[in-house]
Amino acid sequence: MVAALLQLQAHDTALLELETRAAALEARRATLHADRVALEQQASQARAAAEAEQKRHRDIALRLAAARVELDRRVAVQDAAERLAEVTAAVARVEEGRRAVSALEHESATSRKRTTDLAHRAQQLAARSAAAGVAHASALAALDTEVAALAESLGPARTMRAALAANVAADLLAPYDRVRRKRPQEAVVPMRGPACSACDTAMPMQRHREMLAATRIEVCEGCGVLLYASA
Ligand SMILES: [Zn+2]
């Protein structure tokens, strides 16, 4: 009775290790995927920023062209002005027009530099994302190989688990499975004298004697593990 249960526990411990490795591989797959998506997002955001700045630069160029036409017109008005009051007003309007053209020229130069910088950055990120794509593809292939190798052990180990569990009495298997969910490494432990070897809680003498006589498995009142009398 105890032997079958201990055999099951030993197997469950090995199975748990396989399951843990499988879960770690899946976590690694998720991380690889997230890294890949983050890089692609960065690249696409950089491309959008470069395109937006390029469009802004074109808008500025249009406004600059219009401001230059307007300045030429004001200069013509100034040249044609004869009376002093007209000349004074025209000169002021030409000055204002020059300031507008100069401000737009400055804005255009700044935007052109920004456009170049952003396009460069977008290019770099696209290249990095493409390189990462290649690296990720080979990392994923290696991961798939590992997962497949692990599956070859996991499948039979799960089948074996069912076979070993069938050897354990149902009224023992259910409590075992319940305890194991909380304490996967140590659901069944030997007694040390009249005490639980996991938590040291001592069993009442009478109950201990009955347990020994009946070679029963008992639940520890201290920590809830299944106890068996060690030889
Ligand atoms: Zn205990």
Side-chain angles (χ1 to χ4, degrees):
M1 181 160 88
V2 174
L5 192 58
L6 290 178
Q7 220 182 349
L8 178 62
Q9 173 161 265
H11 184 75
D12 277 343
T13 303
L15 183 58
L16 178 68
E17 208 218 290
L18 291 177
E19 308 263 20
T20 306
R21 273 169 55 200
L25 290 178
E26 286 318 310
R28 169 123 186 81
R29 186 194 300 280
T31 305
L32 278 174
H33 180 71
D35 287 353
R36 178 82 205 274
V37 167
L39 273 175
E40 277 171 1
Q41 257 172 8
Q42 273 182 14
S44 102
Q45 276 165 4
R47 193 171 54 242
E51 280 167 6
E53 190 61 39
Q54 206 169 26
K55 183 180 176 306
R56 204 172 92 83
H57 186 247
R58 279 197 302 270
D59 290 346
I60 295 167
L62 288 177
R63 277 158 56 211
L64 179 57
R68 280 180 177 143
V69 169
E70 174 63 17
L71 178 58
D72 287 347
R73 197 187 64 78
R74 289 182 186 188
V75 168
V77 170
Q78 179 191 275
D79 289 348
E82 282 170 4
R83 285 190 302 145
L84 184 60
E86 278 174 4
V87 171
T88 308
V91 165
R93 299 212 68 206
V94 165
E95 268 317 300
E96 189 197 7
R98 284 209 172 105
R99 278 196 300 272
V101 166
S102 157
L104 281 167
E105 278 171 350
H106 179 72
E107 211 181 322
S108 173
T110 307
S111 173
R112 185 167 52 230
K113 177 164 184 342
R114 245 180 91 70
T115 302
T116 310
D117 290 350
L118 286 171
H120 181 63
R121 176 162 168 71
Q123 235 169 24
Q124 276 181 329
L125 284 172
R128 197 189 298 170
S129 175
V134 174
H136 280 165
S138 76
L140 274 180
L143 195 62
D144 284 343
T145 309
E146 268 190 87
V147 169
L150 195 56
E152 276 183 28
S153 312
L154 256 177
R158 284 178 181 142
T159 310
M160 179 77 162
R161 204 276 166 182
L164 289 173
N167 291 337
V168 177
D171 61 350
L172 203 51
L173 185 61
Y176 165 76
D177 280 336
R178 203 162 46 237
V179 175
R180 209 180 142 262
R181 274 195 287 277
K182 286 182 209 149
R183 309 175 58 115
Q185 299 293 354
E186 199 184 36
V188 193
V189 305
M191 297 202 65
R192 200 187 301 119
C196 165
S197 67
C199 74
D200 251 353
T201 301
M203 189 179 282
M205 286 305 254
Q206 180 61 25
R207 190 167 154 224
H208 186 219
R209 269 198 297 275
E210 285 169 11
M211 179 188 174
L212 290 179
T215 62
R216 257 200 330 245
I217 287 178
E218 294 273 349
V219 176
C220 170
E221 286 173 2
C223 67
V225 298
L226 302 182
L227 295 170
Y228 65 93
S230 60

